[in-house]
Amino acid sequence: MWHVTRVAETASTNADVAELARNAAPEGTVLVADHQTAGRGRLDRTWDTPAGTSLTVSFLLRPADVPPARWPWLPLVVGVAVADAVHHVTGISAALKWPNDVLVGDRKLAGILVETVDSADGPAVVAGVGLNVTQGMDQLPAGGISLASAGADVGRDDVLEALGMCLEERYTSWRLAGGDPAAELADAYRHRCATLRRRVRAELPGGAVVEGRAADVDPAGRLVIDTADGPVVVGAGDVVHLRAVTEPDRPSR
């Protein structure tokens, strides 16, 4: 279902595909850049890597047959597809940090940015992935990892092919279910999600903090945190930072 265009350099593949969406580009439009000079993460955080070392790609999706209330699951759909693809080509078991990071161990391998775009053909979704492929550890930011530094000898085209295959499979299944994640997708996400069952601290806009154990992901793709005062539900758009925290000391008996 994908129609891939490659460019040597661009500021942001997500911005470019969003503009294509506004100009009636069809679902399945894909843009891959060898070098992205102004990549963005969630909350407009910047993301940059040396040219030719990462897979930077954006996919145009038009899930018109899925209720918009279920679209917040799309970053999770993409995350599962990325983890599937990494395992397919390398054998590495990547984990997912809610809502939009892919990890190997506790280090970040990939980031995901999913954005909604208004267009003449109705709302669309741009799903961007930035995945570290060939960088050495000296080329990575603190806390980062690449497939090469994790021991995998694989090229960007191999990862792109696997990602396209895995995303098509997961996205098609999600659409056929009307966006309902209750069965296969939700189980696949929970199985891969390193955030669940850990004690976390969610920092919210305005300085509010929610701390407790990450218990589940609800039907809307939000994180359920069990706190001392009961469950609290937070969406990706509500969270400025989400961090694992050390378990409190328990008194000895």
Side-chain angles (χ1 to χ4, degrees), residues 115-252:
E115 301 177 288
T116 304
V117 180
D118 291 324
S119 75
D121 292 341
V125 173
V126 179
V129 176
L131 191 152
N132 300 323
V133 180
T134 63
Q135 296 100 316
M137 291 301 293
D138 61 334
Q139 296 176 297
L140 291 162
I145 195 170
S146 68
L147 294 178
S149 61
D153 182 12
V154 65
R156 290 180 300 154
D157 285 349
D158 296 325
V159 181
L160 175 62
E161 181 179 357
L163 177 55
M165 176 185 69
C166 294
L167 180 56
E168 180 176 0
E169 179 181 343
R170 292 292 184 182
Y171 175 65
T172 300
S173 177
W174 177 77
R175 285 189 70 168
L176 288 174
D180 185 355
E184 179 183 355
L185 175 62
D187 287 345
Y189 185 82
R190 292 184 182 108
H191 177 70
R192 293 161 176 78
C193 185
T195 304
L196 297 181
R197 298 170 295 280
R198 299 184 72 172
R199 190 168 184 84
V200 298
R201 174 185 174 91
E203 299 174 9
L204 311 181
V209 171
V210 176
E211 188 168 318
R213 188 174 301 279
D216 201 1
V217 175
D218 79 358
R222 301 173 300 180
L223 186 66
V224 182
I225 302 175
D226 283 344
T227 75
D229 297 320
V232 176
V233 178
V234 295
D238 303 326
V239 176
V240 177
H241 291 289
L242 181 77
R243 296 185 174 90
V245 297
T246 303
E247 294 281 355
D249 292 334
R250 296 180 180 178
S252 58

